[in-house]
Amino acid sequence: MSTFTAITRAIFGDDHTTAPPSAPPVEDPQLIDLENHFDSMPGADHLNWRTSVSDLLELLGVEHDPESRAALARELGATEWSGTPEDDAWLHARLMRGIEHNGARVPPEFTE
């Protein structure tokens, strides 16, 4: 299972079929309010998931070491990724766009 699929299943449940970023977005009237959903998860109160991709992945129970983040970045379309703060910011925004694409309401400031 891809890391992105593991992430979407952690958010939407095991029955969720992940739409790759290249596919049409999921259209679901029952969209998850991502901010409220993440804030209600255990551990959210001590993680900076809003800006830190490592904290976001930790909140979701997904491996977040540099090698795992590099693999996720490649999965989401990065051709080069070295783990700089700029790379992590790109990965966080790209991941949020992918989550939004799969059926979550994501505040726009998280996808920029």
Side-chain angles (χ1 to χ4, degrees), residues 25-71:
V26 171
E27 294 185 23
D28 183 352
Q30 304 277 330
L31 292 178
I32 290 176
D33 182 331
L34 185 80
E35 196 165 17
N36 287 334
H37 182 71
F38 283 178
D39 279 341
S40 68
M41 293 179 75
D45 57 338
H46 72 273
L47 293 170
N48 185 16
W49 65 264
R50 286 172 171 80
T51 59
S52 169
V53 70
S54 293
D55 283 2
L56 173 59
L57 295 174
E58 183 177 343
L59 180 66
L60 296 173
V62 175
E63 191 62 49
H64 58 279
D65 60 68
E67 295 81 19
S68 298
R69 292 193 324 271

Side-chain angles (χ1 to χ4, degrees), residues 39-110:
D39 279 341
S40 68
M41 293 179 75
D45 57 338
H46 72 273
L47 293 170
N48 185 16
W49 65 264
R50 286 172 171 80
T51 59
S52 169
V53 70
S54 293
D55 283 2
L56 173 59
L57 295 174
E58 183 177 343
L59 180 66
L60 296 173
V62 175
E63 191 62 49
H64 58 279
D65 60 68
E67 295 81 19
S68 298
R69 292 193 324 271
L72 178 59
R74 286 189 301 275
E75 190 178 337
L76 295 177
T79 55
E80 294 183 29
W81 192 89
S82 60
T84 65
E86 294 80 15
D87 287 344
D88 275 344
W90 175 89
L91 183 55
H92 186 276
R94 185 64 191 97
L95 182 53
M96 288 294 194
R97 284 194 300 270
I99 293 168
E100 179 178 53
H101 187 82
N102 272 273
R105 273 192 314 273
V106 178
E109 64 268 19
F110 296 160

